[in-house]
């Protein structure tokens, strides 16, 4: 069994001195005096940001129009309704009454009384006359309620008030539910009410447990957790200011993703920094010097990670959906602020507190310390020896597992009905189900057709002849436009209803002048246009995100071959994650996904997944300079294995916290990202990438040649930490 002797830096010397900016930055955040300045600046930011973070909910805009593609027919229909039909800032609520065996006279009196009470101060307009089903067993009332994009409470309060009215003094045996678009919005608002604080608390609790297990210190885990929390609050404060004064679109989705990603990514950065700081404390008696070296060594990798994720998420501003465009800047802000906190406040605070924070295992100064030698008997050293002995076998087996999981993509089912969007029972879903039992399922949300007055007759005839349209009503004219309501036979959130909308648009387009300027809107049209816009976004944004990630990898690794290999590995990992997640979704009885999951999942899995590869390969490149390609690759895997694995487990667990939100979309987002991160952590970064690196050889660094650079002055031969790997 061969033993390799390579050149390595002598104690206290750094094989990579870093740039002038990196040196100056590290000196400022760890200086004997300047660390106090850094600490004071962050105290000011936290005092301001903490108070503003609590107001983020006040600037959320969850109005349905904000989620629509700007050029779609459904968006134009909303604008026409607001401009000409006094339908500004309103949403339709539907109260459904049902009794098995038929409505009684008492039931009908209750319905009449409810109509009057709702119309007297609750509804934002006229309450329609009750519609009675042909079987006499059900009825429904339809009425508008006022909405305010800047205050969700306006709608929810109105729906809650209506709920109290219809539930009060209801005859025994009469089922009553509030449904319709307004009822659904109210239910979503109730689900997310107070969720920001609960989600942040749950994420921090999960991270606290994992940090305690990682550090095995009753003190150390508190420091990064505190900094992560404070950084996330400052990030939320910045988002609030931009939403308030710069028209940044913030909604419930972007808010909870901001919280989760801030906590998860911030903890990752803390793990990397503290691991390197622990190493440097063995090499330096002065903790200031130790932290300065630690910051210099990890800052380029952390900056590359933050830059990759930040720029990748900013690609979302080129999306066609308003909600997509707003999500990118929100997440990028969170990444940037947390990166600054973990590379300035955290180092300053650790230096201020001193070595005792590592108690009971306090790292002591040891002139002969070598991180690789220290870990040569670790589990990760055994993994490195396995990869080193059989790189081709390990690489092929890892790839086979990923490809096999990738076949699960064939089970993906896109498209959710309203009933499939919640993990618990809610009134709006139960009301829609009651309605569909006794009326055309589309009665709660008719399609809205707006046509120029001169073409109204032809348009009405065309719509009436469309398969899937149950009935039509001319709902008035204003401003040169005629409004036609078309009740669909199928539920408004079904694929069949979306198909009917397409047929309506085709029929209107073939009806001479009727289709020239006609637009078809309503809930089914919104779902159709949203799905098509999401498909277009995938075609544009996925290649754009891949291009950004590739460019960042080229800049960080100063190579071309390695970035291409790494990018392919990440894409294969994403396909495997989607396949595995889809199989899991079927197993837990939530098989259908919202189409947005594919793009959001791709963004986070590619951007976050490549993080661990960046952390690994930047360390490998550093080791290759002094140890050579083979030994540098295996040493990099050995010394980073534990900390990167801990980071991956923490981030995966943090995303699993999304499962606490009782919506299927959040559950699936959390599980998909968690599965993908674990695959990247344990399979791609630990086995596939090192195996490919060894199989390709030094050519992976082309056009650069890091191992040809001379060792630092004062280098000394040491026994390789991966001695015995290969023969």
């Amino acid at each position: 069994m061969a033993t390799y002797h390579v050149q390595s830096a002598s104690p206290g010397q750094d094989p990579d001195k870093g740039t002038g900016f990196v040196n100056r930055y590290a000196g400022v955040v760890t200086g004997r005096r300047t660390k106090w300045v850094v600490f004071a600046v962050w105290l000011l930011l936290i005092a301001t940001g903490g108070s503003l973070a609590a107001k983020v909910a006040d600037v959320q805009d969850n109005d349905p129009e904000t989620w629509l593609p700007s050029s779609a027919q459904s968006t134009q229909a909303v604008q026409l309704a607001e401009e000409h039909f006094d339908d500004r800032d309103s949403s339709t609520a539907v109260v459904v009454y049902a009794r098995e065996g038929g409505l009684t006279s008492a039931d009908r009196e209750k319905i009449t009384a409810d109509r009057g009470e709702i119309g007297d101060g609750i509804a934002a307009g006229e309450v329609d006359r009750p519609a009675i089903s042909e079987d006499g067993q059900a009825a429904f009332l339809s009425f508008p309620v006022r909405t305010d994009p800047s205050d969700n409470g306006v709608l929810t309060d109105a729906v809650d008030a209506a709920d109290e009215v219809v539930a009060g003094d209801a005859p025994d045996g009469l089922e009553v539910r509030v449904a319709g678009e307004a009822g659904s919005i109210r239910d979503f608002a109730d689900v997310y009410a107070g969720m920001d604080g609960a989600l942040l608390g749950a994420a921090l609790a999960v991270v606290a447990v994992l940090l305690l297990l990682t550090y095995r210190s009753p003190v150390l885990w508190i420091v990064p957790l505190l900094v992560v929390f404070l950084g996330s609050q400052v990030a939320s404060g910045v988002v609030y200011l931009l939403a308030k004064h710069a028209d940044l679109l913030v909604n419930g989705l972007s808010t909870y993703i901001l919280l989760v990603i801030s906590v998860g990514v911030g903890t990752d950065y803390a793990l990397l920094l503290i691991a390197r700081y622990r190493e440097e404390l063995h090499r330096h008696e002065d903790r200031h010097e130790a932290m300065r070296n630690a910051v210099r060594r990890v800052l380029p990798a952390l900056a590359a990670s933050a830059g990759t994720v930040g720029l990748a998420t900013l690609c979302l501003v080129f999306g066609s959906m308003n909600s997509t465009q707003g999500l990118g800047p929100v997440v990028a802000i969170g990444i940037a602020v947390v990166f600054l906190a973990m590379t300035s406040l955290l180092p300053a605070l650790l230096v201020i507190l001193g070595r005792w924070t590592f108690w009971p295992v306090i790292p002591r100064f040891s002139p002969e310390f070598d991180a690789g030698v220290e870990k040569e008997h670790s589990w990760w050293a055994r993994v490195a020896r396995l990869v080193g002995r059989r790189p081709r076998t390990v690489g092929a087996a890892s790839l086979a597992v990923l490809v096999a999981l990738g076949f699960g993509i064939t089970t993906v089912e896109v498209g959710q009905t309203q009933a499939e969007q919640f993990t618990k029972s809610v009134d709006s879903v139960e009301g829609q189900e009651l309605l569909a039992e006794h009326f055309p399922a589309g009665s709660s949300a008719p399609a809205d057709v707006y046509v120029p007055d001169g073409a109204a007759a032809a348009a009405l005839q065309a719509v009436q002849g469309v398969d899937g349209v149950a009935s039509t009503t001319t709902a008035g004219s204003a401003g040169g436009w005629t409004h036609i309501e078309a009740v669909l036979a199928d539920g408004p959130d079904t694929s069949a209803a979306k198909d009917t909308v397409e047929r309506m648009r085709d029929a209107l387009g073939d009806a001479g002048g009727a289709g020239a300027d006609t637009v078809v809107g309503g809930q089914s049209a919104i779902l159709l246009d949203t799905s098509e816009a999401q498909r277009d976004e995938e075609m544009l944004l996925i290649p754009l995100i891949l291009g950004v990630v590739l460019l960042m990898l080229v800049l960080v690794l100063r190579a071309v071959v390695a970035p291409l290999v790494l990018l392919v590995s990440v894409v294969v990992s994403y396909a495997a994650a989607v396949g595995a997640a889809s199989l899991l979704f079927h197993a837990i009885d939530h098989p259908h996904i919202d189409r947005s999951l594919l793009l959001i999942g791709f963004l986070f899995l590619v951007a976050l997944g490549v993080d661990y590869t960046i952390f690994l390969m930047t360390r490998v490149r550093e080791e290759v300079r002094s140890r050579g390609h083979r030994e540098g690759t295996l040493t990099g895997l050995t010394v980073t294995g534990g900390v990167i694995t801990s980071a991956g487990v923490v981030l995966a667990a943090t995303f699993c916290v999304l499962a606490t939100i009782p919506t299927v979309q959040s559950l699936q987002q959390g599980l998909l990202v968690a599965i993908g991160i674990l695959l990247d952590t344990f399979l791609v970064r630990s086995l596939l990438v090192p195996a490919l690196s060894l199989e390709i050889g030094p050519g992976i660094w082309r056009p650069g040649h890091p191992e040809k650079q001379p060792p630092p002055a004062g280098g000394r031969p040491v026994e390789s930490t991966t001695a015995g790997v290969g023969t």
Side-chain angles (χ1 to χ4, degrees):
M1 186 173 291
T3 298
Y4 298 92
H5 295 278
V6 297
Q7 293 293 322
S8 180
S10 59
Q13 290 189 331
D14 190 346
D16 185 0
K17 288 295 185 182
T19 66
F21 172 79
V22 171
N23 289 333
R24 289 192 297 272
Y25 183 89
V28 169
V29 300
T30 63
R32 297 182 185 278
R33 294 185 178 86
T34 52
K35 66 177 184 287
W36 293 105
V37 176
V38 171
F39 184 65
V41 169
W42 272 100
L43 285 181
L44 291 174
L45 290 174
I46 291 162
T48 304
S51 61
L52 296 177
K55 300 180 180 180
V56 169
D58 297 339
V59 295
Q60 286 186 13
D61 187 350
N62 293 305
D63 190 86
E65 186 177 351
T66 65
W67 297 75
L68 300 179
S70 57
S71 60
Q73 280 197 36
S74 55
T75 308
Q76 297 173 40
V78 171
Q79 294 167 347
L80 285 170
E82 292 180 349
E83 182 177 355
H84 299 294
F85 292 87
D86 196 26
D87 193 20
R88 185 178 303 277
D89 296 332
S90 68
S91 179
T92 300
V94 176
V95 182
V96 185
Y97 304 83
R99 179 187 292 275
E100 188 175 352
L103 297 173
T104 65
S105 58
D107 296 337
R108 294 173 186 262
E109 290 175 3
K110 166 66 175 172
I111 295 170
T112 301
D114 287 351
R115 182 190 179 206
E117 195 167 348
I118 291 172
D120 187 16
I122 295 177
E126 182 180 356
V127 181
D128 292 344
R129 294 178 61 85
I132 308 295
S133 63
E134 291 184 2
D135 60 12
Q137 297 184 23
F140 72 85
L141 296 173
S142 179
F143 58 93
V145 295
R146 193 168 68 85
T147 63
D148 185 344
S150 64
D151 185 1
N152 292 328
V154 172
L155 179 143
T156 57
D157 288 348
V159 176
D160 287 343
D163 210 0
E164 290 183 13
V165 169
V166 301
D169 299 323
D172 291 341
L174 179 65
E175 291 189 73
V176 185
R177 297 289 186 275
V178 179
E181 181 187 59
S184 180
I185 294 173
R186 189 274 305 267
D187 288 339
F188 271 106
D190 287 349
V191 162
Y192 288 109
M195 188 55 66
D196 291 354
L199 192 65
L200 180 60
L204 290 174
V206 168
V207 171
V209 171
L210 293 175
L211 287 178
L212 188 59
L213 293 174
T214 299
Y215 292 132
R216 300 174 186 175
S217 165
V219 179
L220 181 59
W221 66 274
I222 299 174
V223 182
L225 190 67
L226 176 63
V227 176
V228 164
F229 168 72
L230 296 176
S232 69
Q233 293 301 287
V234 173
S236 294
V238 173
V239 168
Y240 168 80
L241 289 175
L242 291 176
K244 184 75 173 178
H245 303 291
D247 294 327
L248 175 64
L249 177 63
V250 180
N251 54 37
L253 173 68
S254 58
T255 298
Y256 75 69
I257 287 182
L258 170 66
L259 291 175
V260 170
I261 204 166
S262 295
V263 172
V265 172
T267 305
D268 278 4
Y269 295 168
L271 287 166
L272 268 291
L273 176 67
I274 293 174
R276 200 58 184 254
Y277 179 43
R278 189 197 294 269
E279 285 186 29
E280 298 299 331
L281 283 172
H282 286 293
R283 297 190 178 104
H284 302 277
E285 285 188 278
D286 183 1
R287 67 180 187 275
H288 296 82
E289 184 67 21
M291 181 59 83
R292 183 158 48 249
N293 277 349
V295 172
R296 285 196 296 111
R297 303 286 282 272
V298 303
L299 187 61
L302 296 187
S305 166
T308 300
V309 179
L311 290 176
T313 55
L314 282 177
C315 291
L316 297 184
V317 301
F318 297 106
S320 56
M321 301 283 291
N322 293 327
S323 55
T324 303
Q325 295 170 4
L327 177 62
V330 170
V331 175
I333 290 167
I335 294 293
V337 173
V338 168
F339 165 75
L340 290 174
M342 308 319 290
T343 58
S344 59
L345 176 59
L346 180 61
L349 194 55
L350 286 171
V351 172
I352 289 171
L353 294 174
R355 292 176 184 257
W356 70 270
T357 54
F358 288 88
W359 185 86
V361 185
I362 300 175
R364 305 295 184 184
F365 173 59
S366 175
E368 299 300 319
F369 176 82
D370 183 280
V373 172
E374 181 192 40
K375 297 177 183 293
E376 67 178 340
H377 299 297
S378 69
W379 188 85
W380 284 103
R382 292 194 291 272
V383 172
R385 285 192 285 271
L386 170 65
V387 175
R389 281 195 299 269
R390 300 182 180 276
R392 184 171 299 179
T393 301
V394 170
S398 303
L399 189 60
V401 171
L402 293 173
V403 171
L405 291 175
F407 278 109
I409 288 180
T410 58
T411 67
V412 171
E413 299 182 42
V414 177
Q416 292 177 338
T417 64
Q418 182 186 359
E420 294 169 331
Q421 293 176 351
F422 295 91
T423 59
K424 66 177 185 179
S425 180
V426 294
D427 270 8
S428 59
V429 171
E430 294 177 357
Q432 176 60 36
E433 291 173 347
L434 274 179
L435 189 75
E437 290 177 11
H438 304 282
F439 296 92
S443 299
S444 62
D448 297 308
V449 181
Y450 295 94
V451 59
D453 287 341
L460 182 62
Q461 183 178 3
V463 171
Q464 289 173 337
V466 173
D467 183 32
V469 174
S471 64
T472 59
T473 303
T474 300
S477 298
W481 292 86
T482 296
H483 177 203
I484 299 172
E485 286 189 347
V487 175
L488 307 185
D490 301 290
D493 53 1
T494 61
S495 297
K498 289 184 282 188
D499 291 342
T500 301
V501 170
E502 287 190 298
R503 289 193 293 270
M504 288 171 62
R505 289 174 174 173
D506 291 341
L508 288 166
D510 295 336
D517 298 307
T518 299
V519 296
V520 179
Q523 185 176 343
S524 302
I526 287 173
L527 294 174
L528 172 63
D529 292 340
T530 297
S531 178
E532 292 179 347
Q534 289 171 339
R535 188 182 303 114
D536 293 341
E537 284 184 339
E538 292 166 11
M539 299 297 292
L540 170 66
L541 296 180
I542 287 178
L544 185 59
I545 292 169
L546 288 175
V548 168
V549 171
L550 179 61
L551 177 61
M552 291 299 296
L553 287 173
V554 169
L555 294 175
V556 171
L557 299 178
R558 286 164 276 180
V560 173
V561 177
L564 290 172
V565 171
L566 298 179
L567 195 68
V568 171
S569 72
V570 170
V571 172
V572 172
S573 176
Y574 166 73
V578 173
S582 179
L583 295 174
L584 178 60
F585 297 159
H586 279 76
I588 62 176
D589 201 26
H590 292 300
H592 297 94
I593 67 170
D594 183 85
R595 192 178 188 95
S596 64
L597 180 67
L598 297 177
L599 177 59
I600 300 301
F602 178 84
L603 170 67
F604 289 125
L605 287 181
V606 170
L608 295 175
V610 82
D611 270 7
Y612 302 117
T613 303
I614 288 176
F615 297 154
L616 169 67
M617 294 303 285
T618 51
R619 184 61 184 261
V620 166
R621 193 178 192 281
E622 178 184 322
E623 297 293 339
V624 164
R625 294 184 61 181
S626 58
R627 302 179 187 270
H629 176 73
R630 176 181 173 80
E631 292 303 309
T633 299
L634 299 178
T635 300
L637 174 59
T638 299
V639 299
T640 63
V643 64
I644 296 180
T645 299
S646 297
V649 170
V650 167
L651 190 59
T654 305
F655 269 92
C656 282
V657 171
L658 291 179
T660 61
I661 301 176
T663 64
V664 174
Q665 183 182 29
S666 61
L667 170 69
Q668 292 177 335
Q669 283 177 342
L671 291 178
L672 172 61
V673 176
I675 290 171
I677 289 172
L678 292 177
L679 285 175
D680 274 320
T681 302
F682 289 100
L683 198 60
V684 177
R685 187 267 314 167
S686 302
L687 300 176
L688 181 60
V689 169
L692 290 175
S693 179
L694 292 179
E695 191 65 23
I696 296 172
I700 199 171
W701 303 107
R702 291 176 182 166
H705 300 280
E707 66 176 347
K708 292 186 178 180
Q709 299 178 20
R716 60 183 175 86
V718 296
E719 185 173 313
S720 168
T721 63
T722 48
V725 178
T727 56

